Amino acid sequence: MSQQKRLHFNTLVSAFKESNASQKNVEAIFDFAYLLEHKERNYQETTLLVEAYCLLGFYIQAYDLFSLLKTQSFSSKEAKKHQKKLRELEKNKRLHTRFHYRDLRQARILKEINKLTEDDFFIINEDKKYRMSFKDELKKLVVFNKYISTTAIFISADQIDLDSVSEYFLWLGNCKKELINFYNQKNIEYKIDKADQHWFDGLEIFDIDIEVKKGTIFGHIAIIDYSNNNLGFHLETINQTIHLIEYDGIL
C-alpha cells in the first residue's frame, strides 16, 4: 500500500512541476496531505507527508514531523539515512521563507454577510473618545469574503454612529469589484501584472484599524498578498471608497 502511495505521489509531483504549480495541482498535493494527516501512518507514509509539506513550502512542519519519528528499530544504515534526511530538513527550516502554497477552495465559497446591530458592540468611553469592540459571542466577521477574528479589528470614534459602522462592514464584506478595479487601474509599486478572482481569493487579512472622526470612517487594513509571494500591503479606505494600496516588505 505504501508503494502505491509513493507511485501516486510521484505522479502528483510531476503534474505539479509540469504545470508550474497550477492551483489545480496545488490542491491535489493538499488532498494527498490531508489523506495522510488523518490516518495512522507508518514510517514510509510519514516520509511522504513530509515531502508533501516541503513541496507546499511548510518546511517547519516538515522538520517537526520528521524529528518525531522513532528510529530505535532501525539498522545502522537506515539510521544514517534518517539522520541525513533530518539534517536536510533542518537546513530547509532555517532557510524557511514566508511563502507557502495555500488551498484556496474555502476562500472561493461566497460567505454570508450579516449586518451588525447594537447588540454586537461593546463600547468604552476613554477620555472623550470611544473604543468599540465586539461582544464575545461574535467571533468573526466577513471582510473581502474572508473570515477574520473580531479580536483583530480595532475601532475608535469621536462619536458613536453604529449604523455607519455597520454599513461600512457590509461594504467591506465583499467589495471585490472595487478592490480589483482599483488595484489594476492604479500605479502601485511592486504590484503584480493583473489582479483577478484568483488574486482576490488569495488575499489574507492580517488586521483592521478603523477610526471614526467627524462622521467620516477611515479604515486601515493590513493584507497578505498570496499571488505576490505573500508580500504584505496596506489598504486605506475613506467611508466606502478605496483610497490607497501600498506594499510593505516588513508586513
Side-chain angles (χ1 to χ4, degrees), residues 118-218:
E118 182 178 350
D119 294 335
D120 294 318
F121 292 96
F122 184 74
I123 302 172
I124 299 176
N125 190 342
E126 295 181 335
D127 190 26
K128 299 181 180 180
K129 198 167 188 178
Y130 298 94
R131 181 166 60 86
M132 303 167 63
S133 57
F134 299 94
K135 298 287 182 65
D136 291 340
E137 295 79 8
L138 187 61
K139 302 296 184 184
K140 58 188 178 182
L141 293 179
V142 176
V143 175
F144 300 151
N145 198 42
K146 285 103 181 136
Y147 290 120
I148 179 172
S149 171
T150 51
T151 60
I153 302 173
F154 309 92
I155 309 173
S156 63
D158 58 1
Q159 60 184 17
I160 302 300
D161 187 352
L162 296 181
D163 284 340
S164 294
V165 172
S166 297
E167 290 294 332
Y168 176 75
F169 275 105
L170 280 178
W171 173 74
L172 274 185
N174 192 27
C175 57
K176 177 180 68 176
K177 183 177 179 180
E178 296 97 312
L179 181 56
I180 291 176
N181 287 343
F182 184 92
Y183 189 96
N184 288 330
Q185 293 170 7
K186 297 297 181 179
N187 183 19
I188 302 168
E189 193 173 14
Y190 306 120
K191 77 173 189 177
I192 64 172
D193 291 337
K194 184 180 180 182
D196 54 15
Q197 180 71 50
H198 179 74
W199 174 83
F200 180 79
D201 291 338
L203 298 179
E204 183 178 358
I205 313 301
F206 189 72
D207 62 30
I208 301 175
D209 197 341
I210 296 169
E211 182 182 13
V212 183
K213 190 174 182 180
K214 295 182 179 179
T216 300
I217 300 177
F218 299 92

Side-chain angles (χ1 to χ4, degrees), residues 1-14 28-29 31-49 51-52:
M1 184 63 71
S2 294
Q3 184 60 29
Q4 291 178 351
K5 285 190 174 67
R6 164 57 68 184
L7 293 173
H8 178 53
F9 181 66
N10 289 346
T11 300
L12 295 177
V13 172
S14 295
I29 299 295
D31 285 339
F32 184 84
Y34 296 150
L35 181 67
L36 291 177
E37 285 174 343
H38 295 97
K39 72 181 296 291
E40 188 174 344
R41 300 179 301 272
N42 58 30
Y43 181 87
Q44 290 76 19
E45 289 170 333
T46 300
T47 299
L48 284 176
L49 181 55
E51 291 180 25

